[in-house]
Amino acid sequence: MNVKVITTRRCSHRPNLERELKVLGVAYELVFIEDQPELVWSMDIRHSPSLAIDGEVVFREQPEGAELRACFSETR
């Protein structure tokens, strides 16, 4: 499973999402929009943070903890 947190460098929600993923034991790659604008365009990213799993955006904004837990309990 390839998990990417797609975010801006100044996103105030990113630390919380990273903390939630670490608690769930989910390995992820941090992708900064400023460094990869082509990814933003190709995935139609409009909010930060966004979460992609295996190339598909599953959350286009900060998910609630329960939503995140449900998502990863289904994908494992």
Side-chain angles (χ1 to χ4, degrees):
M1 176 172 34
N2 181 316
V3 178
K4 293 182 193 257
V5 173
I6 305 165
T7 184
T8 64
R9 293 189 187 281
R10 301 175 115 192
C11 178
S12 62
H13 301 288
R14 176 181 48 85
N16 183 49
L17 179 55
E18 286 190 274
R19 187 171 34 259
E20 292 274 352
L21 292 171
K22 287 177 184 174
V23 166
L24 293 172
V26 175
Y28 63 92
E29 176 186 355
L30 194 56
V31 178
F32 291 110
I33 290 168
E34 297 90 343
D35 297 337
Q36 296 190 29
E38 71 285 348
L39 181 68
V40 173
W41 181 83
S42 70
M43 297 182 101
D44 195 30
I45 302 294
R46 297 183 186 269
H47 299 280
S48 177
S50 292
L51 186 73
I53 300 175
D54 295 331
E56 180 183 343
V57 178
V58 293
F59 292 106
R60 294 190 178 273
E61 57 188 25
Q62 172 70 43
E64 297 289 329
E67 292 174 308
L68 206 52
R69 287 188 295 278
C71 176
F72 285 103
S73 68
E74 293 171 5
T75 58
R76 288 186 176 194

